[in-house]
Amino acid sequence: MTKMATSSTTISFAFLAFTLWLMICTSSAQLTPNFYSKSCPKVFDVVGSVIRSAVAKEKRMGGSLLRLHFHDCFVNGCDGSLLLDDTPSFTGEKTAAPNNNSVRGFNVIDDVKSKVEKVCPGVVSCADILAISALESVLALGGPSWKVKLGRRDSKSASLAAANSGVIPPPQSTLSNLINRFQAVGLSAKDMVALSGAHTIGRARCTTFRARIYNDTNIDASFAKLRQSNCPRPAGSGDNNLAPFDVTTQDKFDNNYYKNLISQKGLLRSDQQLHNGGSTDSLVEQYSKTPKSFSVAFAAAMIKMGDIRPLTGSKGEIRKNCRKVNS
C-alpha cells in the first residue's frame, strides 16, 4: 500500500513537473509588450521618430506602412517575409498579385531598421519593426493606441506561391470570402470589419476600383462620377491613378470610413460588402455612430492579427538587413 502510494506520488510530481515545464516553454514562446524593455528600451522612441517624419512628408505613407504589416501577417504569419527581396534560391512575395506595384514603404522600413540597429544592434526583428511601425503610423494620423506585443523573429525565406494563394482578400471579394479569409487566420467577422476600418487612411489604384465605379449599382451616383473623373473606363488607361479610400477625411484616422459605407461611398467592392444588406451591417452602423467602439475594436483586432503564427524562441533569426537573410 505504501509502495503504491509512493509510486503514485512520484508519478504525480513527475506530471506536475512536466506540466510546469510545458507552461514555461509555452509562455516563453508567447509575444509580450515588454519584450525589449531591457534589451532595447528605446525601440518605440526610435521607430516612432522615423515614422512620424515619414508620414509628415507624405500622409499616404501611414496607410502604406499599416498595410505592410497586414500583408506580412496574412502570408505564413507575422514573420517579416514580405520584406525579403528575391534571391537566386527563392522568389519573394513582393511581386505576388496582391503586392506587385501596390505594397510600398520598404525604404522607410529600411530607415527604421538602420536607426534601430545603431541603438540596439542585432536585437530587434524586422517583423517586430513592422508591428511597431503600424502602430506609429496610426498614431501619427490621429488614431488609437494599443499595446504592441513583441518577440517575433524573422523568416529565412518567403513564398510567392503562398502570397498568390488567395489568403490576402482581393478588392473584388464578397462578404463571405472576406469572412472566410479572416477566419482562416484566426480572426472573427468583427475583427475583419474593424481591421477594414484601416481604409480610413491610404489610397487605392484605379485598377482596383474601376469595376466598381462603372459596373456596380450599390454606389452613390455622385461618388461614382467623382471617381470616374480620375479613373478612365478602358483597362490600361490610368491604372495607377490614385484615389483616397475615405472620401471625407482621407488623411485622418477616424470612423468616417463606416459613414461612407452607409452612404454607399465605399471605394472598393470589398469595402461596400460590409454594408450591403448582410450580416456585418450592424457593426458598420455601430462604428459609424460610436468612434470609441471602433477604436477599441480596431486596437483589439490589431493585437490579434499580430499574433498570427509568429516565429519565436530559436526559430528564424534577427535580420541585420530587412531585405535579405543573414549570411
Side-chain angles (χ1 to χ4, degrees):
M1 188 85 171
T2 305
K3 286 184 178 180
M4 286 182 66
T6 303
S7 176
S8 176
T9 302
T10 303
I11 292 171
S12 296
F13 274 121
F15 178 76
L16 180 61
F18 174 76
T19 303
L20 287 171
W21 174 82
L22 191 63
M23 288 173 64
I24 290 169
C25 288
T26 303
S27 63
S28 68
Q30 291 177 342
L31 306 180
T32 171
N34 60 1
F35 187 83
Y36 297 113
S37 60
K38 293 182 179 179
S39 60
C40 193
K42 294 184 178 180
V43 63
F44 280 90
D45 293 336
V46 176
V47 177
S49 175
V50 177
I51 299 304
R52 285 190 296 274
S53 176
V55 174
K57 291 176 183 175
E58 184 195 4
K59 298 292 187 184
R60 180 191 174 201
M61 187 56 70
S64 298
L65 295 173
L66 177 58
R67 189 161 173 255
L68 279 182
H69 184 40
F70 172 85
H71 279 229
D72 180 48
C73 289
F74 266 61
V75 180
N76 293 331
C78 309
D79 60 0
S81 58
L82 175 60
L83 302 175
L84 289 171
D85 288 338
D86 295 350
T87 73
S89 60
F90 70 83
T91 303
E93 299 164 20
K94 291 180 177 179
T95 57
N99 300 328
N100 195 34
N101 296 319
S102 180
V103 290
R104 59 194 294 275
F106 297 110
N107 290 338
V108 176
I109 297 300
D110 291 340
D111 192 20
V112 172
K113 179 63 172 175
S114 175
K115 298 291 196 304
V116 170
E117 283 295 301
K118 288 179 181 177
V119 178
C120 314
V123 173
V124 183
S125 69
C126 297
D128 278 348
I129 282 175
L130 280 179
I132 300 173
S133 296
L135 166 69
E136 295 295 344
S137 293
V138 171
L139 291 175
L141 294 172
S145 182
W146 61 92
K147 289 188 178 295
V148 181
K149 292 162 71 174
L150 302 166
R152 302 169 192 81
R153 289 169 67 83
D154 297 321
S155 169
K156 295 181 181 180
S157 185
S159 174
L160 178 69
N164 272 328
S165 67
V167 291
I168 299 172
Q172 312 300 332
S173 293
T174 61
L175 180 60
S176 61
N177 185 53
L178 288 168
I179 292 173
N180 291 339
R181 288 296 90 213
F182 277 72
Q183 285 182 340
V185 292
L187 298 171
S188 67
K190 181 181 179 180
D191 295 326
M192 182 272 290
V193 176
L195 289 171
S196 296
H199 283 180
T200 181
I201 55 175
R203 310 287 191 274
R205 294 179 302 142
C206 166
T207 185
T208 64
F209 59 85
R210 176 183 282 122
R212 170 158 168 71
I213 62 174
Y214 286 104
N215 301 328
D216 291 3
T217 55
N218 61 341
I219 187 169
D220 176 84
S222 62
F223 175 71
K225 188 175 181 179
L226 172 67
R227 290 293 159 251
Q228 289 169 6
S229 67
N230 194 43
C231 181
R233 184 189 289 268
S237 178
D239 282 2
N240 292 321
N241 291 352
L242 299 172
F245 283 110
D246 180 353
V247 69
T248 312
T249 49
Q250 60 188 33
D251 292 319
K252 182 180 179 184
F253 198 100
D254 56 24
N255 69 330
N256 277 329
Y257 167 79
Y258 300 102
K259 296 178 182 179
N260 294 334
L261 297 185
I262 292 172
S263 301
Q264 295 192 318
K265 295 177 182 177
L267 183 62
L268 303 182
R269 186 171 286 170
S270 56
D271 286 323
Q272 197 59 55
Q273 287 292 305
L274 303 185
H275 194 271
N276 194 42
S279 60
T280 55
D281 283 15
S282 58
L283 275 173
V284 170
E285 289 159 16
Q286 177 188 337
Y287 296 156
S288 74
K289 295 172 185 174
T290 316
K292 180 66 175 177
S293 65
F294 163 52
S295 294
V296 170
F298 182 80
M302 284 298 294
I303 293 171
K304 282 182 69 175
M305 187 181 80
D307 277 340
I308 299 173
R309 295 169 58 188
L311 297 175
T312 58
S314 60
K315 297 177 181 177
E317 64 181 9
I318 306 298
R319 281 186 225 136
K320 297 173 184 176
N321 179 335
C322 291
R323 292 178 180 267
K324 60 183 183 179
V325 299
N326 296 339
S327 54

